[in-house]
Amino acid sequence: MGIAPQVASAGQELAEAAWIEVIQRMDQVYSELVASQENLEEKHQELADAHHFTERVLAAMTDVLVVCDAQGHVTQVNHAMQSLTGQKSNLLTGKHILSLLNTDLAIQTMQHLIETGKTDTLDLELPLRTNTGESIPVTWNISPLSDGAGRYSGFVAVGRPIGELKRAYSELQAAHKALQAAQAQLIQAEKMASIGRLVAGVAHELNNPISFILGNTFAMSKYATKLETYCQALHQETLSPALQTLREQLKIDRLMKDLPSLVDGLREGAERSTQIVDALKRFSAVEENLQQPLDLAEAIRRSLYWVTRATPSNISVKTEGLDHTVMVSGSVNQLQQVFVNLIQNAVDAVEKAAHPEITISLTSDPQYVTVCVADNGTGIPTENLSAIFDPFFTTKPIGKGTGLGLSISYGIVENHLGHLMVENRETGGAQFKVQLPLH
């Protein structure tokens, strides 16, 4: 009877000890669970922060980003890709990369890349197709993706639109050409200035002897008339055999017959030389007052009237922009000389054209006015374009031009702070452009 209560007490103590141990073990497990939960939450927060950081980086990228699986289906894009294509992420994700490319060559190139599973980094230029069907040139850097086992699982394509770069390059090329043209004009202006100083001296030196020759031709003409009268009176008398023989040997009759035409030819040559010297003087002359306000349209209309009075009626003359006032500063006489020369050259250029036509247009912007004189003639040979404004250079037949008209015109326009340019038209013929600053 006394042993049983002792055994029961010992069993109860053992059960209580086991229960306490279980409770302690549960507390330990709970503590570990709480610690694991806290650690998991920390890791989850770190992962969320990393995910948010990655999203911010992708959103901040100006380059487009496309992630594809091994079959070429889009799994992820960044904000730049959405902006470039005009499509949201949910519309792009799941699409095949080939549907986003715009040319057959680009599709074939990407198809080959997907089929062969290239694992090398590549640099390609493949145009993208926007939601409006527009093609945007993009340079891509394509790198392979690998899974946890190191196997190829797709690729990442980072692209940069090069439309702006190409546009900037085109603008750079245009600026370079403009600089070359300005340099050529500067060289031409310097050359013309040097030639002008030389011509002024030469014209002055030539003027005196030409004046002597021209004056003597008038005296010779009078002498020839008197000599002819004397010979006619002499030949009416009976000449001795010796004088008759001398008359025949010296060909006095032919000489007297040719003498008037020889004097006329000498006078014509002297007068032509005088005209050339006068043109040289105008070429080298500098007018002091080039700030007189004048209506350029009126000056062109007047120049056109003077030229067309002697123009064949079969030439069609079209005008544009000459019906309103356009004010510039300069010498009206000098500018009219320029336009008379340009219009006359156009008339000469269409002389043999089947349907001769001349177009004179006047346009203006806030700073400059541009006059274009165009013809439908044969144009100017390319090798002559650079020399067309040189003094004494002419493509006209001998006797039709001295080669000074365009040189003088070039100098006049330069003195008016403008530019005189020439080019061949794509439709045939040539066109001269005069650009002057507005008053």
Side-chain angles (χ1 to χ4, degrees), residues 30 57 60 72 82 89 105 128 189 191 281 290 299 303 335 350-351 415:
Y30 181 73
V57 170
Q82 299 176 52
S89 175
L105 179 60
L128 271 180
K191 181 169 63 175
K281 287 180 178 179
L290 297 178
S303 302
L335 291 179
V350 300
E351 187 177 7
N415 288 337

Side-chain angles (χ1 to χ4, degrees), residues 231 235 243-259:
C231 288
H235 294 162
L243 288 177
Q244 186 64 32
T245 301
L246 185 62
R247 175 183 178 182
E248 294 175 357
Q249 289 178 347
L250 297 178
K251 300 179 180 179
I252 297 299
D253 294 337
R254 179 186 293 182
L255 188 150
M256 296 304 301
K257 185 178 180 181
D258 292 344
L259 191 58

